[in-house]
Amino acid sequence: MSARLSEIHRVTGLVLVAAVLTGLAWMSGHSHEVRDTDTAAGTVVQNSRLLMGTQFNLSVWVPIERAPEAAEALLDTLDQIEALERQISDWDPNSEISAVNRAAGQQAVRVSPPVRELVATAIDWSRRTEGAFDITGGALFELWRRARQEKTLPSDQDIASVLPQVGYQQLELEGDNVKLKRAQMKIDVGAIGKGFAADRAAAYLRAHEFPDFVIDAGGDLAVSGRRGNQAWDVAVRHPRRDELLATCAVTDCAVATSGDYEQYVTVHGQRYSHIIDPRTGWPASDAVSVTVITSRATDADVLATALSVMGADKGIALANSLPDVEALIFKSDGSRALSDGLRLVDNRLEKVP
Ligand code: AMP
Ligand code: MG
């Protein structure tokens, strides 16, 4: 986060969504009332930790007398996310995902219930997005990661040689056993892990009777309840410039954004995103940023990545075909595309009544 934006964040206590292009007002049927705030009777307790290669910021609203209890609950929640990271990280050699990767082309590996759930959800979304989202793209994503570090492009030959190691059809889940059927295949949970972690953190807080919170998993948000009498404020910033575009009020939903603004390589004046089409081996290029709003953070995270790969027309069509999924796409030509359930009113995004 830039110094300027983090300053605004610190002063106002806004939650920043990475690079969303405009304001969101997502009230799940409530009408937004800004009364004299109730927050005098309550307080927002916060904690942060670097996890999954990003910063997790957790905020819980509680009546003042529950503040110490909330602080404990946040520590426990962060510990839970850290434990999940140790299970799903693809770079930690001791994780379950690394064990699955090492056994590629050989045998199945028994995994724990959360890893099973993550893999099952990923396979389901790969089918529904016809492979635009695919966690088995690890070898391909690594090729592009190296290219970004070296500021070069991989050759057609490099890409052709890793494509046979990509494909969710070769990822088998039977009971608690996960198997990558081809040698050298590699699972990468980069496009689903943060959202999945946010949902688990949300479930943990709700189970401990903290219904009012924002979990910000590096820009992927799970928002629940309210901050006293008010909805949570979400500030959004421009995908290309260091400025806030709008602030907005949200409650009870998940918001995730994917785009080429955070990790990319520029070669011969062309920007290549870190989001890769697993079918062609080449980066997504139609969308600068994709924001998805839905109930579960896991789905928002997956779909923000998948819609980036599909591009605006197919991406919006998919969002329109799914119940409870809305999307906002900022295209490389500067235009915007919205799913049917959204409209822009004076730079604020609203649900179509
Ligand atoms: P996100 O920021 O959620 O869009 O995730 C991007 C990260 O997910 C990349 O850095 C890759 O590690 C991985 N990734 C890139 N393209 C895809 C894809 N099409 N499907 C699944 N994971 C991807
Ligand atoms: Mg994602």
Side-chain angles (χ1 to χ4, degrees), residues 147-158:
R148 285 197 300 279
Q149 279 156 7
E150 293 164 7
K151 303 206 184 311
T152 56
L153 293 184
S155 67
D156 288 336
Q157 215 175 8
D158 293 337

Side-chain angles (χ1 to χ4, degrees), residues 82-144:
E82 200 169 317
L84 177 69
E85 181 181 17
R86 283 196 294 272
Q87 292 174 304
I88 68 173
S89 161
D90 46 87
W91 53 263
D92 178 346
N94 298 315
S95 77
E96 294 179 31
I97 291 295
S98 292
V100 172
N101 288 343
R102 268 194 306 276
Q106 298 163 49
Q107 74 262 352
V109 171
R110 196 182 166 84
V111 298
S112 57
V115 177
R116 195 208 116 80
E117 192 193 326
L118 177 83
V119 170
T121 307
I123 293 173
D124 187 39
W125 276 123
S126 286
R127 292 193 182 123
R128 295 209 262 168
T129 62
E130 295 170 343
F133 171 84
D134 192 339
I135 59 168
T136 71
L140 177 67
F141 308 151
E142 209 164 274
L143 183 69
W144 278 98

Side-chain angles (χ1 to χ4, degrees), residues 132-134 141 145 188 190-191 258 262 274-276 278 301 305 309:
F133 171 84
D134 192 339
F141 308 151
R145 204 167 295 130
D188 174 330
S258 280
E262 40 181 9
H274 70 129
I275 297 166
I276 316 292
D301 192 1
T305 309
V309 169

Side-chain angles (χ1 to χ4, degrees), residues 3-43:
R4 202 175 133 236
L5 289 178
S6 62
E7 177 67 11
I8 294 168
H9 188 196
R10 200 175 57 70
V11 172
T12 63
L14 293 173
V15 179
L16 285 172
V17 183
V20 183
L21 72 127
T22 188
L24 303 173
W26 196 255
M27 301 300 299
S28 314
H30 306 277
S31 67
H32 179 38
E33 264 177 285
V34 187
R35 280 191 233 141
D36 230 357
T37 164
D38 255 1
T39 43
T43 184

Side-chain angles (χ1 to χ4, degrees), residues 125 128 293-295 299 303 318-326:
W125 276 123
R128 295 209 262 168
I293 308 163
T294 187
S295 301
D299 302 331
L303 286 170
L318 177 64
N320 286 337
S321 75
L322 297 167
D324 178 42
V325 173
E326 301 300 341

Side-chain angles (χ1 to χ4, degrees), residues 26 291 293 307 315-320 325-329 337-343 349-350 352:
W26 196 255
T291 298
I293 308 163
L307 268 54
I316 292 293
L318 177 64
N320 286 337
V325 173
E326 301 300 341
L328 167 63
I329 300 183
L338 294 163
S339 58
D340 289 345
L342 293 178
R343 65 179 185 198
L349 198 66
E350 295 180 353
V352 172

